[in-house]
Amino acid sequence: MAADIVLISDPRVAAIPVRESGEPLTDVRGRLRVDDRLADAIGAYAHLRSGLLARLEKAENLLPSGYHLLIVEGYRPIPTQRHYFEEYRDQLQASFPEMTPAEAHVAASRYVSPVEVAPHTAGAAIDLTLCSPEGVEYDMGTAVNDNPEQSDGACYTGAANIGPEAREHRAILGKALDEAGLVNYPTEWWHWSYGDRYWAFTTGASFALYGPTPF
């Protein structure tokens, strides 16, 4: 793990207060391209806070010709987030029995946020990739949601062990999202957020705009 990466489990992130804006969750479908690989029965995955969605639409318009955002997952209910985190944490402990519970908690946060700070449960985070006008995904070096063990760390946004084409595509995605005001979680090239605690920590904002919200 790169020494300069601050994980979302860091106490400094959890300490940032939330001043809930009250912005509604808004359906992305019909406004941006949406993939259904993680679709849930109630369509929660395709919803985001309205302020984040507006910024994604700006990013879409900043992309070069021939490139489009492809939304994979947005809002995630709290029970789902808790299940994802605990499942991955337990997998790590089984694979690396020398880890203490505290170490497994931190290691799991490279890939899944602990529920108490998870931006997906606030509708403040988006997992996404790039596609062509025909909907064909571009080479990004790994699949969306490949964990550090599966990808040998290539899921890290700045990973050195990816090809030049994938590196270029990550740069295209990052430039548009940066300009639209989103921040990346550097262990996952596909995970970007706005208005959550990690966004506040990264940008120096004194408080987050969005906290956990029911669907």
Side-chain angles (χ1 to χ4, degrees):
M1 183 175 69
D4 58 344
I5 291 178
V6 175
L7 295 178
I8 202 165
S9 59
D10 192 294
R12 292 173 292 176
V13 177
I16 292 173
V18 176
R19 295 186 188 173
E20 175 57 57
S21 71
E23 283 182 16
L25 291 169
T26 305
D27 200 330
V28 181
R29 291 169 293 189
R31 295 175 65 170
L32 292 169
R33 289 165 174 78
V34 180
D35 183 272
D36 65 359
R37 76 190 74 174
L38 293 177
D40 57 292
I42 59 175
Y45 81 106
H47 286 73
L48 296 169
R49 294 293 188 126
S50 57
L52 173 54
L53 178 52
R55 284 162 176 79
L56 288 170
E57 290 179 315
K58 177 180 178 180
E60 170 77 11
N61 291 326
L62 291 169
L63 289 170
S65 177
Y67 291 88
H68 297 283
L69 300 179
L70 182 63
I71 305 304
V72 176
E73 187 178 22
Y75 178 78
R76 192 181 290 159
I78 289 173
T80 303
Q81 182 72 33
R82 181 177 290 110
H83 170 74
Y84 284 173
F85 181 82
E86 292 178 353
E87 181 179 53
Y88 182 53
R89 180 201 61 198
D90 294 348
Q91 287 174 0
L92 287 172
Q93 283 231 262
S95 299
F96 305 99
E98 69 278 9
M99 278 188 178
T100 66
E103 289 170 338
H105 182 93
V106 171
S109 74
R110 297 169 305 159
Y111 177 63
V112 187
S113 298
V115 69
E116 61 271 15
V117 291
H120 280 286
T121 66
I126 188 69
D127 295 339
L128 78 175
T129 187
L130 288 175
C131 70
S132 71
E134 296 75 33
V136 178
E137 291 180 46
Y138 286 109
D139 175 16
M140 304 297 285
T142 76
V144 172
N145 287 333
D146 275 357
N147 67 40
E149 292 73 41
Q150 291 169 324
S151 67
D152 192 26
C155 60
Y156 281 48
T157 307
N161 56 335
I162 61 173
E165 188 174 37
R167 188 169 294 108
E168 179 184 2
H169 292 154
R170 290 189 187 186
I172 290 170
L173 179 66
K175 183 175 186 295
L177 293 170
D178 279 338
E179 290 185 19
L182 280 71
V183 301
N184 174 240
Y185 190 46
T187 63
E188 301 175 339
W189 62 260
W190 58 85
H191 177 105
W192 292 76
S193 67
Y194 169 79
D196 63 305
R197 285 188 172 102
Y198 199 81
W199 164 84
F201 177 83
T202 303
T203 63
S206 57
F207 57 89
L209 306 174
Y210 310 134
T213 187
F215 183 68

